[in-house]
Amino acid sequence: MLSLLVVQLQSLDERVAVFDREIARRAREDAEAKRLMTIPGIGPITATALAALAPSATTFKKGHNFAAWLGLTPLQRSSGGKQKLGETSRMGERTLRRLLIIGASAAVRWAMRKGSRDPWLSQMLERKPPMLVIVALANKTARIVWALLSKGGTYRTPVLQC
């Protein structure tokens, strides 16, 4: 019985590998997905998912609206002129939000081990807990995605200033 399960798992692994290669091929052929893959934390799967599932960038007025559509912005509980931001809303597109958070967590883990060239990320990791930094980076990545989709161009890594 166990050997039958092992054979089924191997078959599934092979099918997943075939699909991964197909997604990577499509990402290389699609100009929009290629541009999105220049952003740290976005690979072929996330880039093709964004190209396929996200509405046109012109649908949103600014990057904040796109991040809110994904559910990556904090809830606002403001009154009387005092701004109070709560936890992340999680009220948007679940699949894309999850992919952006997975990519951001990979970027944060890499930055914690090897260091980051992004001054914003380095400062956030010094002051905040890792999970908060991951969601904040996913929010920032969503805004960068909107900018690339609406204005074109490729992502340029910020230069570390001493």
Side-chain angles (χ1 to χ4, degrees):
M1 190 67 166
L2 189 60
S3 64
L4 180 63
L5 289 174
V6 169
V7 169
Q8 284 182 340
L9 281 175
Q10 288 173 339
S11 172
L12 288 174
D13 281 343
E14 290 169 6
R15 289 176 60 192
V16 167
V18 167
F19 288 132
D20 281 344
R21 284 192 298 273
E22 177 65 20
I23 289 171
R25 183 188 64 76
R26 289 184 184 206
R28 282 191 308 271
E29 292 174 358
D30 185 16
E32 193 172 89
K34 254 185 181 176
R35 287 187 300 118
L36 292 176
M37 286 191 301
T38 61
I39 303 170
I42 293 187
I45 293 172
T46 307
T48 53
L50 283 164
L53 298 175
S56 171
T58 57
T59 306
F60 305 101
K61 209 173 203 178
K62 45 189 171 173
H64 173 80
N65 297 342
F66 180 64
W69 178 78
L70 290 170
L72 287 170
T73 56
L75 291 171
Q76 290 197 15
R77 294 190 174 95
S78 306
S79 68
K82 291 185 180 179
Q83 187 179 25
K84 294 180 185 175
L85 298 177
E87 68 276 0
T88 304
S89 67
R90 289 183 267 159
M91 292 183 182
E93 167 55 48
R94 176 185 235 175
T95 307
L96 294 178
R97 179 178 62 247
R98 188 174 290 157
L99 288 171
L100 286 172
I101 288 176
I102 289 169
S105 69
V108 166
R109 275 195 319 262
W110 177 265
M112 289 172 69
R113 274 190 271 134
K114 305 280 186 180
S116 174
R117 292 175 35 196
D118 185 354
W120 177 87
L121 183 56
S122 300
Q123 290 172 357
M124 286 289 284
L125 283 171
E126 289 173 6
R127 297 179 293 149
K128 303 287 183 182
M131 193 59 203
L132 189 140
V133 176
I134 288 168
V135 174
L137 182 60
N139 183 342
K140 184 177 178 180
T141 303
R143 292 168 186 240
I144 293 169
V145 165
W146 176 82
L148 289 184
L149 292 177
S150 65
K151 298 176 180 138
T154 57
Y155 178 77
R156 293 185 309 263
T157 306
V159 179
L160 184 62
Q161 297 174 348
C162 297

